[in-house]
Amino acid sequence: LFMFAAKGTPFDKRFPGLCGEKLVGLIATILFIIPVLRDFFLEWPYIDASRKVANAALDAGLSLYLIPGGEEEVVVTKYGEDATVLKNRKGFVRLALSHGACIVPVWGAGTTDT
């Protein structure tokens, strides 16, 4: 996910002007309760994935990125085998539609091989 947040990455070169202050990641609320992790994620920048916070970010003109499979996807993924969890994960679609935002799917193939 660092690739989406940092300037100078291949993503930043492909989509100039998006990385940095205009693009933030959504992560699970629980990660903001753990002190060290909270500071780590705020530095990149990430924000709480709650509907209220995501709505406010889109209202402010920010672009968001997320992994809709979340922790469930982490659990079902195995070494050398990619998995995607989208069943019952439609809130981000409703959120984008309500703000007229585009959804750009990105697939990270082979991420479990390292």
Side-chain angles (χ1 to χ4, degrees):
L1 293 179
F2 178 74
M3 181 178 82
F4 295 115
K7 293 185 182 243
T9 61
F11 183 83
D12 182 41
K13 291 174 184 172
R14 177 83 167 128
F15 301 100
L18 186 59
C19 289
E21 297 176 11
K22 295 180 186 178
L23 181 66
V24 295
L26 298 177
I27 60 168
T29 303
I30 189 70
L31 295 176
F32 283 102
I33 296 172
I34 304 166
V36 175
L37 284 179
R38 178 183 189 280
D39 297 331
F40 175 77
F41 283 116
L42 286 174
E43 191 67 28
W44 271 22
Y46 283 86
I47 59 174
D48 182 359
S50 69
R51 184 179 310 265
K52 179 181 175 183
V53 174
N55 268 317
L58 288 171
D59 285 341
L62 296 175
S63 294
L64 307 175
Y65 66 93
L66 71 148
I67 299 174
E71 64 278 354
E72 183 180 350
E73 195 167 282
V74 172
V75 171
V76 299
T77 300
K78 298 174 184 149
Y79 179 79
E81 183 180 312
D82 295 316
T84 301
V85 175
L86 289 175
K87 188 177 182 177
N88 300 323
R89 308 280 179 160
K90 299 172 190 83
F92 72 98
V93 175
R94 287 191 298 271
L95 182 69
L97 290 172
S98 71
H99 286 271
C102 297
I103 297 176
V104 181
V106 177
W107 175 271
T111 59
T112 61
D113 296 345
T114 58

